[in-house]
Amino acid sequence: MASLHNALKFLSLPNACPLCIVALNPQTGQAIAVNSTFESILGPLYKFKEWDFANAACEDEVKNPNEGGDDENKKLNRSKFREAIDKVRTSLCDANADHGGIDTKMDEGNEKAATATGKIRNVEMLTLGSNDAGLPIKKHFDWTIGSVQLDGDDDNDDTPASAVILYGDLVNETESSDRARDRELIDFFQNAPIAMHWLNGNGIVLWANQTELNVLGYTPEEYIGQPIMNFCPDEQELVLEIFKQLGSGNTIADVPVRFRTKDGKMVHLLIDSNVAYNPDGSFGHTRCFIRDDTARKIRDARTKLLLEENERSLRMLDSFLSKTLHHVMGPLHALRGTCEIVSDTLQLHNSVDGDEREKNCDLLERAAETVTTTTRMVADVSDLARFDEGATLKTKFNSVGLREIGLEAINNIRFSHLRLTGGDDGISVSLNLIGEGGPGLMNTDRAALLRVLAHLLENAVREVDKGGNVSLQMTSACSNDASNNVLIEVIDNGRGLPSGTCLDQGGNIIGPDTSPAPCHRYLIGGKRGQSNDPDELQKVRTEMEEGLRDLKQNGVGVGLPLSYHLVRVLGGDLRHEKLTKGTRIWFSLPNTLGEVAADGTDQKEIVATLKTEKVVKKGLPPAQITFTSKNSEEPIRKRKRIQEDPEFGNFVSSEGSMTSGDDTVTTRYTSPTTMAAEPVAAAVAKCGVKASMPFSVLIVEDTNICARLLAMQLKKMKCTTQRAENGRVAVDLLEDAMPGTFDMVLMDLRMPVMDGLEATKLIRNELKIKDLPIVALTGEMSDGVRSECEGLGFTEFFQKPLPKKRLQELITKYKAARDGTE
C-alpha cells in the first residue's frame, strides 16, 4: 500500500501528471487512494471513501421516457461508467482467485498489470473540490481504467492485494460542446434510416452503421473487418465490376446486389457509392449507401405478372379472333365453292335432268342455310362486344305463348350444325311444360328469349353423348302475392359446361329458388366478383384460356356470355347447377303480363293457364348420299328433305358411302364415268398396275359442306376421295390403311378433337409416312402459321378456298410424281 501512495504522491508533483488518478478496492469499488490532481478537481479522498466511486458519476437521464431507441442510448452516464469499472474489477477478482488468494511476488519496484482494461469518454461527474465552498459542480471526464498488483509486504493487513486504477482527463467546456455535436453527428450516421458502410481498396469493411448491422443481423465483430465478398458470395463478379467502376472515379447508383444475412437468407439491396480519396490521390475508402430493394422487386414481380396477364389476354384475343375467322371464312368459302360448282354444272349441261337439278338445288339450299348460321354468329359476336362496352339493349315486351316459343326453340335445332356426324346421334330433345296454375302467356321480349333458348339448347346438344337427352322445361306458377314467375330450365345428361366457363357461388334469383342443390351464378369475363386473390384470378384466366383454345366445340364460345346479358335484360339471372350426371342451366323471369288491360279488365282472369304436357323432337341419322352414273344399274338414293334437319349428313366418300345410325361403313369404288384416262405405256412399265388406278385423295375437313365441295371437284378430276372429319380420324385411317392407299391428303388446319397441325406431326413422326404429300388448307395466311406448317412436314400450303385450277395442278403434279411421268 505504501508503494501505491508513494507513486500517487510522485504523480501529484507539479507537471508530473495532469490526470486525476484514483485507486479503487476491487472488492467494494470504494476509493482507497487518490493523487493531488484528483483532490484539487474532484475533491479530497474522504468525500469518496465510504461509497462506491461509480456513484460519483451523475445519474442516467432520459429526457423523454417514451422515446424509442435501443438500451445503449438510454445508458447515458452512470450505468456505462459502472459497467466499465465492473468489467475490470471482475477480471481482477478472477485473477486473484486463480492464485488462491496468495500475493504474487513482484520484481523490485514493479507491479503486475491485469489484462482487463477499459476506456469511457465524456462521463459527467459530480466534483466536490473545484471551488472554495465545496459545492457540487458537474464536469465531464474521459476515464481510462486499469489495474495493478500491490506489494504484499505492507504492514497493513487490510490492504488489498490489487487495486483498480482510474485515470481521469478533464474535458474543457469547448471540447465538451464539440463532443455534444459529435455525438449528434455520430447518432445521425449510426441510426440513419439508410444503411451505410466503408470499404478499403481491398474490399474490407472498415465501418458499418448500426442500421446496416440490423438489416443483415450481424454484430460489429462479425461484420466489420471482414471481406465484403463473404456477405455476397453469389455476386462476386458484380462486386468486382463495382470496384472497377469506383476505382475509375465513377459513381454508381441503384446497383442491385444480393447480400446474405446472418440467418442465411438472401436480401435484395440497392447500392449507391463513390470513393473518398486520400490527400495524395490514392484510394481511401468507399462511401456506400444501401437501400432495401424488396419493394422494388415486388413491384417488378407485379409488373411482370401484369405483363404476362396482358400477353395472355392478347393471346386469348388472338385465339378468339382466329377461331371466329375460321368459323366465318369456312361457310363463306363453301358458299363460293357452291356457286362455282352450280355455275359450272349449268354451263356444261344444256338441259339438266331431274336428279342433277335436285342435287344442285339442294346444294344451294344448304349454302343459304350456312350463310344464315354465319350471319347469326357474327351478330352474336357483335352484340356481345356491345354489351361489354356498356351498351343497353332496346327491348320490346309483348305477350308470348310459352308453348309456342318452346316448340319453336326445339324445332330450330339443327343436329348437323352441332354434331360431328351430321345426324342426331340418337339424342332426344323434348319440351316439358309444367302448369302450376300460372298463365300460358308471358310478357317478355320474344326475340331475346328465343336467342337465349337457342344458345342454351345448342350447347346442351353439343355436350351430350350419343343417345343423350336434352330437355327444355318451362314452369308457370301462380303465387298468392300477385307476382307470377316463369322458371325456364335446360337440363341434359352430358359432360357439363365446357372448360373456361366462369361460375360464382350463391346469390338470390328473382322469384323462388326451387333448386334444393347448390347452384351457381353464371359470370362472364371481367365481372367475377372483383376478386383480388392472385391465385384465384390465375386459375380463372387459365380456365378461360384453355376454353378459348379448345377446338373440340363448334362455335366460338359466345353463347353463354351473350345469354348472360340477355337474361339480365329480361329481368332474370342465369344459373348453373351440376347434377349427378349432367347439367341444369336455368333462370326465372317475372311475368308482368298486364295485370289490368286498357278496358280495366283483369287479364289474369281471361288468359288460359299453362297445361302440363311433353313434346319430343327426334332427329334423323345422317343423310345417305350416293353418287353414280346415269348408266349405272345401282339406283340413286335421294335425300329426303326434312325441315328439322336441312344439312347434309356425314360425307365419307364422293364415290359411295353407307351410313347407318352412329356407325359409318366406307366403300371405295369408281363408277364407269369416273374412270381415269388410260395410263401411258411408260407409266405402266415403271409403276405397274398402280399407274392405272385413279388418284386417291384423303379429305380431312370438319365442315360437311366444305368436304362435299372438295369431293365434288375431285370427282370431276377423275379422283377417288375419302373424308375424315378431324385429325384423329385421319391418323387412324392412315395407320390402318395399306401403304399407297392414298396419294395425297388435303388437310384443314383448324378442326375439333385434333387439328391438322397435330395430325400431320403424328403422321410424319409416329406413323413414319414421309413421302405422302400433305397439303394444308386454311383461312389463316400469317407467316407464323406458314412456318409452323413447313416445320411439321406439310408439302404445300394454300389459303381457302383452293381455286379449281390450282387444285387440278396439284392433282396433275402429284399423279405424275406417283406414276413416274414427271
Side-chain angles (χ1 to χ4, degrees):
M1 185 66 181
S3 60
L4 176 61
H5 283 292
N6 292 334
L8 293 176
K9 288 179 180 178
F10 171 76
L11 294 174
S12 298
L13 294 175
N15 300 322
C17 183
L19 302 178
C20 299
I21 304 175
V22 56
L24 306 181
N25 187 319
Q27 303 296 331
T28 64
Q30 297 173 347
I32 56 176
V34 298
N35 70 344
S36 58
T37 307
F38 180 96
E39 290 185 331
S40 64
I41 297 176
L42 282 100
L45 176 60
Y46 72 88
K47 291 185 178 182
F48 299 93
K49 243 179 137 177
E50 303 299 328
W51 48 296
D52 188 344
F53 182 72
N55 291 331
C58 296
E59 294 182 358
D60 295 345
E61 180 180 356
V62 179
K63 295 181 180 180
N64 183 3
N66 298 323
E67 186 180 24
D70 55 29
D71 293 338
E72 291 296 326
N73 292 330
K74 294 180 180 179
K75 296 176 182 178
L76 298 180
N77 199 67
R78 182 180 294 176
S79 297
K80 294 170 65 175
F81 189 44
R82 175 173 281 109
E83 285 180 3
I85 294 175
D86 289 347
K87 180 179 179 181
V88 178
R89 287 176 56 194
T90 301
S91 175
L92 195 58
C93 291
D94 291 343
N96 290 335
D98 291 339
H99 290 292
I102 302 174
D103 294 339
T104 304
K105 293 292 183 180
M106 304 289 149
D107 291 338
E108 231 179 80
N110 291 333
E111 298 171 349
K112 182 178 179 181
T115 56
T117 60
K119 189 168 185 178
I120 182 169
R121 291 166 54 84
N122 221 49
V123 180
E124 190 177 41
M125 306 290 295
L126 198 62
T127 62
L128 305 175
S130 59
N131 58 81
D132 295 338
L135 294 174
I137 297 177
K138 295 179 180 179
K139 293 186 178 181
H140 291 81
F141 291 82
D142 292 339
W143 291 98
T144 301
I145 308 171
S147 62
V148 295
Q149 294 288 343
L150 302 179
D151 187 359
D153 292 338
D154 192 36
D155 295 337
N156 187 353
D157 294 336
D158 295 332
T159 302
S162 58
V164 177
I165 304 296
L166 284 78
Y167 303 89
D169 187 10
L170 178 63
V171 179
N172 59 43
E173 293 182 4
T174 301
E175 188 176 2
S176 178
S177 177
D178 292 341
R179 289 187 179 184
R181 289 194 297 270
D182 291 345
R183 284 197 305 274
E184 183 178 356
L185 186 61
I186 290 171
D187 178 75
F188 172 80
F189 284 106
Q190 280 290 94
N191 301 293
I194 189 169
M196 293 178 278
H197 67 249
W198 290 0
L199 303 177
N200 67 13
N202 296 320
I204 304 298
V205 181
L206 300 178
W207 169 82
N209 69 349
Q210 189 62 43
T211 304
E212 181 160 330
L213 297 175
N214 293 339
V215 168
L216 300 178
Y218 296 103
T219 64
E221 292 79 10
E222 294 169 334
Y223 191 67
I224 298 173
Q226 300 295 321
I228 196 66
M229 290 289 194
N230 293 352
F231 306 101
C232 42
D234 299 336
E235 304 283 4
Q236 293 189 8
E237 183 178 352
L238 177 59
V239 172
L240 292 175
E241 183 61 29
I242 289 174
F243 265 92
K244 181 179 178 181
Q245 292 293 325
L246 293 175
S248 301
N250 298 321
T251 297
I252 63 170
D254 293 334
V255 177
V257 179
R258 294 190 306 161
F259 273 67
R260 184 176 59 196
T261 64
K262 186 175 181 178
D263 57 8
K265 295 180 180 179
M266 301 300 293
V267 294
H268 295 273
L269 303 174
L270 289 176
I271 292 183
D272 302 331
S273 182
N274 58 12
V275 175
Y277 292 94
N278 295 321
D280 59 1
S282 61
F283 191 103
H285 60 78
T286 66
R287 295 176 288 216
C288 296
F289 296 81
I290 298 179
R291 291 169 285 128
D292 189 355
D293 196 29
T294 304
R296 187 183 70 87
K297 286 291 183 180
I298 293 175
R299 289 195 301 270
D300 288 349
R302 289 176 176 171
T303 302
K304 182 179 179 181
L305 180 61
L306 289 175
L307 289 175
E308 290 175 352
E309 286 300 308
N310 185 53
E311 291 175 358
R312 291 184 65 185
S313 297
L314 292 176
R315 289 197 303 269
M316 291 163 63
L317 178 60
D318 289 342
S319 178
F320 175 79
L321 293 177
S322 175
K323 197 172 181 182
T324 302
L325 178 64
H326 174 72
H327 286 276
V328 170
M329 295 301 292
L332 295 180
H333 295 157
L335 177 60
R336 175 179 172 180
T338 300
C339 294
E340 289 179 353
I341 289 178
V342 174
S343 177
D344 291 344
T345 302
L346 295 177
Q347 290 177 13
L348 292 175
H349 299 277
N350 294 327
S351 61
V352 182
D353 61 24
D355 292 338
E356 191 70 20
R357 186 182 303 108
E358 171 73 13
K359 287 188 289 185
N360 290 337
C361 292
D362 193 41
L363 196 59
L364 286 173
E365 178 186 343
R366 296 173 188 282
E369 290 180 356
T370 302
V371 173
T372 301
T373 302
T374 303
T375 304
R376 174 190 159 195
M377 180 185 65
V378 174
D380 287 342
V381 173
S382 176
D383 288 350
L384 180 60
R386 296 187 65 188
F387 271 123
D388 289 341
E389 291 171 358
T392 303
L393 179 68
K394 294 181 180 180
T395 57
K396 186 177 181 180
F397 279 59
N398 291 308
S399 297
V400 176
L402 296 179
R403 186 179 190 278
E404 288 72 21
I405 198 170
L407 286 175
E408 184 175 355
I410 65 172
N411 287 332
N412 285 341
I413 294 175
R414 299 291 184 263
F415 290 105
S416 54
H417 284 262
L418 307 172
R419 306 295 296 183
L420 292 176
T421 62
D424 70 343
D425 289 338
I427 297 170
S428 173
V429 179
S430 63
L431 169 64
N432 294 334
L433 301 173
I434 302 176
E436 296 183 351
L441 299 177
M442 71 177 297
N443 191 31
T444 189
D445 187 304
R446 185 179 185 279
L449 179 58
L450 200 57
R451 289 178 76 182
V452 172
L453 296 179
H455 283 302
L456 298 184
L457 287 170
E458 288 173 2
N459 284 339
V461 170
R462 284 192 188 101
E463 294 300 322
V464 294
D465 297 325
K466 295 180 179 180
N469 298 304
V470 176
S471 173
L472 171 59
Q473 187 165 293
M474 309 178 80
T475 305
S476 180
C478 181
S479 61
N480 297 327
D481 59 358
S483 63
N484 297 323
N485 292 295
V486 177
L487 177 65
I488 300 175
E489 305 166 87
V490 175
I491 305 171
D492 66 78
N493 59 353
R495 295 174 296 241
L497 290 178
S499 59
T501 303
C502 303
L503 302 171
D504 185 36
Q505 280 276 27
N508 295 323
I509 62 166
I510 299 175
D513 185 353
T514 61
S515 173
C519 65
H520 300 77
R521 174 174 179 266
Y522 178 79
L523 293 176
I524 63 172
K527 298 181 180 179
R528 300 177 188 85
Q530 305 300 327
S531 172
N532 291 321
D533 185 353
D535 294 335
E536 185 64 25
L537 291 176
Q538 186 83 352
K539 178 182 177 182
V540 169
R541 293 301 285 267
T542 300
E543 290 176 350
M544 289 180 63
E545 188 175 13
E546 291 175 353
L548 284 174
R549 263 200 324 261
D550 186 9
L551 283 174
K552 294 180 175 62
Q553 313 297 329
N554 286 325
V556 294
V558 300
L560 281 175
L562 182 61
S563 298
Y564 162 83
H565 286 294
L566 292 173
V567 171
R568 294 293 295 270
V569 169
L570 296 177
D573 200 4
L574 196 61
R575 296 303 178 96
H576 162 269
E577 178 186 348
K578 184 175 179 58
L579 305 177
T580 303
K581 180 172 177 56
T583 305
R584 172 182 177 241
I585 298 181
W586 57 286
F587 56 95
S588 181
L589 298 180
N591 191 359
T592 57
L593 187 65
E595 286 84 15
V596 180
D599 58 2
T601 305
D602 187 352
Q603 286 194 354
K604 292 182 181 179
E605 297 180 359
I606 63 175
V607 175
T609 58
L610 181 67
K611 294 182 179 181
T612 299
E613 65 173 314
K614 180 176 182 179
V615 182
V616 178
K617 168 192 170 74
K618 180 72 175 179
L620 292 179
Q624 300 177 353
I625 303 172
T626 301
F627 294 103
T628 185
S629 69
K630 290 184 291 184
N631 299 327
S632 173
E633 295 181 359
E634 184 177 354
I636 297 177
R637 292 195 292 268
K638 296 182 180 180
R639 177 185 182 279
K640 182 180 179 181
R641 291 180 177 272
I642 304 288
Q643 184 176 358
E644 290 81 7
D645 185 20
E647 284 282 331
F648 281 110
N650 183 24
F651 180 77
V652 178
S653 172
S654 65
E655 303 305 327
S657 65
M658 294 184 295
T659 311
S660 176
D662 298 333
D663 301 323
T664 299
V665 180
T666 304
T667 304
R668 302 183 66 250
Y669 63 90
T670 305
S671 62
T673 59
T674 59
M675 286 294 293
E678 187 72 21
V680 298
V684 175
K686 185 172 183 179
C687 301
V689 71
K690 187 175 182 180
S692 64
M693 296 177 62
F695 196 74
S696 177
V697 181
L698 175 61
I699 301 172
V700 188
E701 171 64 61
D702 60 318
T703 306
N704 291 329
I705 192 169
C706 293
R708 179 177 174 82
L709 290 170
L710 277 173
M712 293 178 69
Q713 289 178 329
L714 290 168
K715 174 188 174 184
K716 295 182 178 182
M717 298 175 188
K718 314 301 181 183
C719 298
T720 61
T721 61
Q722 186 165 342
R723 184 251 180 127
E725 60 266 25
N726 58 65
R728 180 72 267 171
V729 176
V731 172
D732 293 341
L733 282 173
L734 289 171
E735 185 176 18
D736 296 337
M738 293 290 293
T741 300
F742 299 104
D743 300 310
M744 186 174 70
V745 177
L746 295 178
M747 182 79 72
D748 184 19
L749 294 188
R750 305 303 179 190
M751 295 177 291
V753 183
M754 180 183 290
D755 62 24
L757 299 172
E758 181 66 21
T760 302
K761 182 179 179 181
L762 293 176
I763 293 169
R764 296 304 194 201
N765 298 334
E766 294 192 9
L767 302 185
K768 306 297 183 183
I769 301 176
K770 304 293 186 180
D771 299 331
L772 179 63
I774 301 179
V775 179
L777 298 179
T778 180
E780 305 175 57
M781 287 299 292
S782 66
D783 292 338
V785 174
R786 182 184 291 272
S787 299
E788 188 175 8
C789 289
E790 292 175 354
L792 291 175
F794 281 90
T795 313
E796 305 272 359
F797 182 91
F798 294 102
Q799 185 178 20
K800 289 182 178 180
L802 183 62
K804 184 172 63 175
K805 180 180 178 181
R806 192 71 186 92
L807 180 59
Q808 181 65 67
E809 291 174 354
L810 281 174
I811 299 301
T812 303
K813 172 183 176 181
Y814 288 113
K815 188 175 187 304
R818 185 198 71 173
D819 298 342
T821 58
E822 295 178 292

